[in-house]
Amino acid sequence: MDSQRCVRTGLHYASEERIQVTWSPDGRIDSLLPGEGEETIWIAPGLIDLQINGGYGYDLNSLPLTTDTVIQVTRRLWEKGVTLYYPTVITNGDDEIEQILRVIDAACLEDERVGSTIGGVHVEGPFISSEEGPRGAHDSRFIKAPDWGLFTRWQAASGNRIRILTLSPEWPNAADFIRKCVASGMVVSIGHTAATPAQIREAVAAGATISTHLGNGAHLTLPRHPNYIWEQLAQDQLWAGMIADGYHLPDSVIKVILRAKLTKTLLVSDAVYLSGMPPGEYETHIGGDVILTPEGRLHLARKPELLAGSAMMLLEAVQRLAESGLCSFPEAWDMASMLPAQAMGLTDYDGLKRGARADFVLLEKREGGLRVLETVKGGHSVYRAEG
């Protein structure tokens, strides 16, 4: 692999054919030709994480947030094959959310590569359900009805970078709010909701297109039918985001989601800052006192049955899903790369195709998991493994 030339050779992640990828100085793939060589290096599109709160001790939701924190998170994500992500700002005070958004915008302006890796900001809350269960670990003190004036203030603070908004359509006038968001170019996702099936349908009609971590952020017990999970599964217009860390959803539920949604299933990490950290007791903004078990399960200390986010990065989630036998490796990888791009309407993030952005990773498959050897972002090598 010559890092000075705009060419890489390896096995196509889906077809398993040996290919040679070349790209132009403007960061677009020029060609995919038959390749030569014997090395067992795989080439795959860069991962796209639509929902991530931090990792490796870096918390995107704790104040004071610095641009360095955002930059360091981005660099660590390159190591995990992520070439586009949506830092997720969760329920907090109005001023605190505004401060976080300003820092993310400043980091994008400070570091061009970071700015190109952040596809936009995902605001998850505070316009969610206040009920125990659907609220999840979000702080009940800050939950409120959708407020367009407040949201436009946040959008201005973000430098117009907010691209995804998770809300619950159970609030009065939620449909009107969704229509305003969609008209302004936003992607609206239904999540942390106790909405009725009728309210779910109304939200979809207004333009909501994604379900945020479907099956989580829900009551511990539900009516067998109807309920808001069945209704979201039944809405063909909705993409289903899911966390496949082995704790948020049983494999049987993942199997049902895959069959119901077919090619409209998205993998997200929902990783919090404790991802990559040793097991133990921690304090977080979103959940207060939490426990990270040696097995990697992160839950509230006061209520162990409630999770407090994921401690698994997207790369490992892809590996785990593929190993579960519920889908193939290429299918799992697409749920974390190609399909998120489609859900966000990113037509130039078209995988390993001529004219697509040169966002891809070189991988090594080995016992114990996937190892990223190199991450190429916009035609630039932003990470190379040592050794």
Side-chain angles (χ1 to χ4, degrees), residues 87-132:
T88 303
V89 180
I90 52 86
T91 300
N92 206 330
D94 297 352
D95 292 341
E96 285 78 5
I97 289 176
E98 181 174 344
Q99 290 178 53
I100 292 169
L101 292 170
R102 289 189 185 280
V103 173
I104 294 173
D105 178 46
C108 292
L109 297 174
E110 179 180 323
D111 190 311
E112 182 180 352
R113 295 277 166 77
V114 169
S116 68
T117 305
I118 293 178
V121 177
H122 180 170
V123 174
E124 183 188 1
F127 311 138
I128 58 174
S129 179
S130 61
E131 294 188 22
E132 182 82 5

Side-chain angles (χ1 to χ4, degrees), residues 345-359:
L346 304 175
T347 56
D348 53 349
Y349 287 83
D350 203 19
L352 301 178
K353 294 182 180 179
R354 183 177 181 182
R357 288 180 180 266
D359 282 22

